[in-house]
Amino acid sequence: MTSNEKTSPIDALRAQYEELAELAGSLAHEIKNPLSVIHMNIDLLSEDLADWDSPQSRRSIERVNIVREQCERMQGLLRDFLRYARLRDIDLVSGSLNDQVDTVLRAYKAEAAQRGIEVKRYLDSDLPSIALHSDSLQAALMNLVKNALEATGRGGQLMARTYSTQTSVALDLIDSGRGVDNNTIMHMFEPFYTTKEGGSGLGLPTARKIIEAHGGRISVQSEVGRGTKFTLQFPVLKRIV
């Protein structure tokens, strides 16, 4: 850049954001190491206290367990944050959205059965290919499916449907769960916003970042007491002739 060229406000803001994201990611990584040491020593302390059988040792064990739980919560939060902060450009290859959906649904087959939830799939066999990164896209889909199962009671349903539109390849994930209100819909993709006890509030924001990194978009419709529908749309992979 020459001395006569000026940085646009948008470019300056983007550079500032990337610098802050890099700094936050480095800080989270540095916190992760001593936190692991604390967790390990809490486990060792718990083993030592287990050799004593007294009212005082039992009270101490309860307090140690509280500290362990909070350490595990912080480790989970840091893990989710690092995944969110480090998501950058990813290498995309031609692939099948159906295959990704099928892999994720099979991974949650046992949990769905245990919860008494019927999983229905309507996957378009003529679906065009999309550009995808398998591991990250499956991570995003797993978050959505996991949330749907947790929101759906016994006897409920989860439906996965893929189809083509004029401009995209789409996936609907529809559950018959408890649904969410409009205020939650407005904020659910904001980092650290959560209505789930113990949640990091980074699952849905990370899922959206992954989908957008695929050139796609995600939208949601929900009604309290009726269920929720997430729609994912991806650009069709153009064929080279």
Side-chain angles (χ1 to χ4, degrees), residues 162-193:
T162 59
Y163 54 95
S164 298
T165 71
Q166 290 184 341
T167 59
S168 67
V169 172
L171 164 66
D172 288 339
L173 289 172
I174 307 171
D175 68 65
S176 61
R178 56 182 175 266
V180 295
D181 57 30
N182 289 334
N183 182 66
T184 300
I185 291 175
M186 288 175 58
H187 298 288
M188 66 192 332
F189 292 111
E190 297 176 2
F192 304 110
Y193 178 85

Side-chain angles (χ1 to χ4, degrees), residues 11 39 42 47 64 69 114 116 120 127 142 158 160 175 186 213:
D11 289 338
H39 195 182
I42 285 294
E47 292 176 4
V64 165
E69 290 172 0
Q114 184 180 25
K120 293 186 175 183
L127 207 65
M142 283 183 172
L158 170 63
D175 68 65
M186 288 175 58

Side-chain angles (χ1 to χ4, degrees), residues 66-205:
I66 291 173
V67 175
R68 179 192 291 112
E69 290 172 0
Q70 293 304 309
C71 278
E72 292 172 351
R73 180 173 180 273
M74 286 297 298
Q75 286 176 320
L77 178 62
L78 286 171
R79 181 180 61 249
D80 291 344
F81 177 77
L82 287 170
R83 186 183 296 119
Y84 178 80
R86 290 176 175 175
L87 185 61
R88 296 290 188 270
D89 294 335
I90 52 180
D91 294 326
L92 305 178
V93 299
S94 175
S96 167
L97 178 59
N98 283 345
D99 289 347
Q100 309 305 310
V101 174
D102 182 68
T103 297
V104 171
L105 292 181
R106 283 191 286 108
Y108 281 99
K109 182 179 179 180
E111 181 174 341
Q114 184 180 25
R115 292 176 176 269
I117 298 171
E118 180 184 13
V119 178
K120 293 186 175 183
R121 59 182 76 192
Y122 302 95
L123 307 183
D124 184 354
S125 59
D126 295 324
L127 207 65
S129 297
I130 64 171
L132 60 84
H133 182 270
S134 182
D135 289 345
S136 62
L137 183 54
Q138 285 183 26
L141 295 177
M142 283 183 172
N143 180 271
L144 295 173
V145 170
K146 182 175 184 293
N147 286 348
L149 293 178
E150 291 176 350
T152 304
R154 182 168 294 275
Q157 291 184 350
L158 170 63
M159 183 178 73
R161 175 176 63 198
T162 59
Y163 54 95
S164 298
T165 71
Q166 290 184 341
T167 59
S168 67
V169 172
L171 164 66
D172 288 339
L173 289 172
I174 307 171
D175 68 65
S176 61
R178 56 182 175 266
V180 295
D181 57 30
N182 289 334
N183 182 66
T184 300
I185 291 175
M186 288 175 58
H187 298 288
M188 66 192 332
F189 292 111
E190 297 176 2
F192 304 110
Y193 178 85
T194 181
T195 59
K196 187 188 305 182
E197 184 177 354
S200 67
L202 289 170
L204 285 177

